[in-house]
Amino acid sequence: MGNITLGRYIPLDSPIHKMDPRAKIMAMLIMLVSIFLPAGWTGYGIIFAVTALTIILAKLSFSFIWKAMKPMLFMLVFLFVINALFLKTGTPLVTVGSFVLYSDAIFQTLYIAVRLLLMVMITTCLTATTKPLDMTLGIEDLLKPFTKIHVPAHEIAMLISIALRFIPDLIEETQRIMKAQESRGVDLQEGKLTERIAAILSLIVPLFVSAFQRAEDLANAMEARGYAPGEPRTRYKVLKLAGRDYILLGCTIAVQLCMIWLAFLR
Amino acid sequence: MSISFEHVSHVYSAGTPYEYKALDDVSVTIEEGKITAVIGQTGSGKSTLVQHLNALLLPSEGTICILDRTIKAGEKPKKLKSLRKDVGLVFQFPEYQLFEETVIKDVAFGPKNFGATEEEAMAKAREALTLVGLGQDTFEKSPLELSGGQKRRAAIAGILAMNPSVLVLDEPTAGLDPLGTIQMMELFHSLNKKYQKTILIVTHDMEQVFSHCDNVVVVENGKIRMHAPVSEFFRDSSLCREMNILPPALIRMKDLLVQYGFEVPQEVQDIDGLAKVIARQVKHHG
């Protein structure tokens, strides 16, 4: 469980790491929208090139991206099977008995695989280069305009930052409890159904108990320090857009326009 | 039949930027039927070391022989379950592992996992709970209703009910009140004396090491700094001072007495003996 790569922050020193989280979040959103414009393979080529450049600039390795992609492979295989069974358009390629594999089944799966890969690449560019706390600051700022229509921007940001803050703790706690129960003879991999249910219960119950305990402790600690949601507060870290942030935004908007143009040409 | 580590290393998150070598070429043999204290600073590798004993962690390098089994680096260990039955590991703050509706059911969980029938498991649970000093009235309570100290006892009973021949305890008295601590240590002591169980205790409390343990293993930066009998380790305070450990009160007292001109023989290792020495010498002068 310690080797989950998707969404993990990688502490490195790169220009991308130094960028303003607000600019990076906006850039990510724009790029994600670009993926869903029907710009064809040329479009995907451009997005891939731009994202790959960002990854290189961020000093991230492609094997890291590949590791983040791995959990998606199962989904893709599943998707391919469904497509192969039900998509009957395009040219027939292979015939096995009464089953015919059509070219569109492969194309459709490939299409989704590429989109998925691009999405993982783009989101990884954001999450691997932005500290979770900076990310929530960015989200809070970006949500600020919506407070006019009663969106609790600060509360949402606080919620996210607390949730993020507890992920490593809960992973550690889970591993600890797993080890403790394994010492009592629990086998999480094998066993009869009833045994496995008991095994999972022995993991989940203590995890819930300790999670609630932690939540209560945190709430008390926050209250003891005078935290009240909705009060006006100053910030220790003030975000400021710099030249590189404008460059990033400019580039992504350029990609976006390019995609729209390609979509029109088709 | 012995417990020995031969050139054991353990690396966490190998091949990632978070790679960390917690154990570095450790070779040590733990005496059977004795109580061995494992001491060392936070992050020195004590917990990593003891988690190898029931194969929760596997060595990255080296070999571990435990009872009649061998665990080699890079090999998938066989008979894991029977090893875990024979080596009972009690984690730090074990009260967090309680999960059943009643205390007795929770204690019976271990034996049941190792193949005991419902009745056998319940009988073992009753025995273990009595051993740790929890009364009949607590058996049917929910673990959440118990006090902190009682929870700890129930959790330890959960391991004892498996009747392991080696008992490994990771800071079993952390967070207990002084009386609870003394009772807990006396329990381990009697388990060792009455049932000849091999016991390993990870601890920071030198008083416990001094008065209850037979041997000391000092872990420092993932290496074994020292392995010696307790009597030798605390013969005088010089070894402790060398390793930045505060010696037990009795040893510090002996130091002070020597400083003020008393003659204290080295073999004096308890309060009674020390009191006699002082009394004799004071009388002599008076």
Side-chain angles (χ1 to χ4, degrees), chain A residues 8-11 173 176-177 179-187 198 201-202 205-206 209-210, chain B residues 18 51 54 56-57 81 84 89 91-93 96-99 106 109-110 113-114 144 159 162:
Chain A
R8 189 173 185 175
Y9 173 67
I10 303 294
E173 188 78 21
R176 227 171 61 94
I177 296 169
K179 278 182 180 171
Q181 305 298 26
E182 274 179 285
S183 298
R184 294 211 278 169
V186 164
D187 200 333
L201 269 183
S202 77
V205 174
V209 170
S210 87
Chain B
Y18 298 94
Q51 283 177 36
N54 71 348
L56 279 180
L57 293 179
K81 215 160 179 167
R84 291 198 176 143
L89 184 73
F91 271 83
Q92 230 168 328
F93 301 109
Y96 287 118
Q97 74 192 29
L98 302 172
F99 74 99
D106 200 279
F109 180 64
N113 281 330
F114 291 114
L144 296 175
I159 300 292
M162 290 153 32

Side-chain angles (χ1 to χ4, degrees), chain A residues 190-197:
Chain A
E190 291 160 39
K192 282 179 285 190
L193 187 68
T194 48
E195 282 172 15
R196 290 183 82 162
I197 290 171

Side-chain angles (χ1 to χ4, degrees), chain A residues 35 44 47-48 51 114-123:
Chain A
I35 294 178
Y44 290 147
I47 296 177
F48 181 84
T51 319
V114 168
R115 282 180 173 181
L116 213 57
L117 173 71
L118 287 174
M119 274 161 72
V120 169
M121 278 170 72
I122 290 166
T123 45

Side-chain angles (χ1 to χ4, degrees), chain A residues 116-189:
Chain A
L116 213 57
L117 173 71
L118 287 174
M119 274 161 72
V120 169
M121 278 170 72
I122 290 166
T123 45
T124 305
C125 273
L126 174 70
T127 53
T129 64
T130 316
K131 284 187 201 130
L133 265 180
D134 287 346
M135 187 98 80
T136 46
L137 283 184
I139 293 172
E140 187 181 345
D141 273 11
L142 288 174
L143 283 178
K144 208 151 257 165
F146 298 104
T147 44
K148 293 233 166 62
I149 52 165
H150 301 291
V151 173
H154 169 72
E155 283 81 350
I156 291 175
M158 183 53 94
L159 222 81
I160 297 173
S161 69
I162 290 175
L164 288 175
R165 188 229 161 282
F166 275 112
I167 290 173
D169 280 14
L170 287 178
I171 290 178
E172 201 177 302
E173 188 78 21
T174 312
Q175 285 172 331
R176 227 171 61 94
I177 296 169
M178 263 167 90
K179 278 182 180 171
Q181 305 298 26
E182 274 179 285
S183 298
R184 294 211 278 169
V186 164
D187 200 333
L188 288 164
Q189 260 91 49

Side-chain angles (χ1 to χ4, degrees), chain A residues 49-259:
Chain A
V50 172
T51 319
L53 188 71
T54 319
I55 289 170
I56 293 165
L57 277 176
K59 296 181 185 170
L60 295 169
S61 67
F62 283 92
S63 66
F64 179 76
I65 306 278
W66 174 239
K67 265 192 209 153
M69 247 327 258
K70 258 188 191 162
M72 312 279 175
L73 284 181
F74 171 74
M75 213 172 84
L76 285 175
V77 170
F78 184 71
L79 200 78
F80 176 69
V81 172
I82 297 277
N83 275 344
L85 287 178
F86 295 106
L87 257 180
K88 300 291 179 207
T89 50
T91 45
L93 293 174
V94 190
T95 313
V96 183
S98 62
F99 171 77
V100 188
L101 179 65
Y102 287 91
S103 61
D104 270 12
I106 294 180
F107 269 118
Q108 274 299 327
T109 316
L110 209 60
Y111 213 59
I112 291 171
V114 168
R115 282 180 173 181
L116 213 57
L117 173 71
L118 287 174
M119 274 161 72
V120 169
M121 278 170 72
I122 290 166
T123 45
T124 305
C125 273
L126 174 70
T127 53
T129 64
T130 316
K131 284 187 201 130
L133 265 180
D134 287 346
M135 187 98 80
T136 46
L137 283 184
I139 293 172
E140 187 181 345
D141 273 11
L142 288 174
L143 283 178
K144 208 151 257 165
F146 298 104
T147 44
K148 293 233 166 62
I149 52 165
H150 301 291
V151 173
H154 169 72
E155 283 81 350
I156 291 175
M158 183 53 94
L159 222 81
I160 297 173
S161 69
I162 290 175
L164 288 175
R165 188 229 161 282
F166 275 112
I167 290 173
D169 280 14
L170 287 178
I171 290 178
E172 201 177 302
E173 188 78 21
T174 312
Q175 285 172 331
R176 227 171 61 94
I177 296 169
M178 263 167 90
K179 278 182 180 171
Q181 305 298 26
E182 274 179 285
S183 298
R184 294 211 278 169
V186 164
D187 200 333
L188 288 164
Q189 260 91 49
E190 291 160 39
K192 282 179 285 190
L193 187 68
T194 48
E195 282 172 15
R196 290 183 82 162
I197 290 171
I200 290 168
L201 269 183
S202 77
L203 195 65
I204 287 176
V205 174
L207 198 62
F208 263 83
V209 170
S210 87
F212 276 107
Q213 185 67 47
R214 273 166 201 271
E216 206 176 316
D217 286 351
L218 181 74
N220 285 335
M222 283 168 78
E223 251 179 275
R225 286 188 281 174
Y227 176 77
E231 297 293 313
R233 16 190 342 109
T234 53
R235 234 188 230 168
Y236 167 63
K237 197 167 185 174
V238 180
L239 298 175
K240 234 175 143 187
L241 288 172
R244 52 173 168 257
D245 302 316
Y246 291 112
I247 295 172
L248 176 73
L249 285 173
C251 287
T252 45
I253 290 170
V255 170
Q256 173 83 294
L257 291 175
C258 195
M259 291 305 123

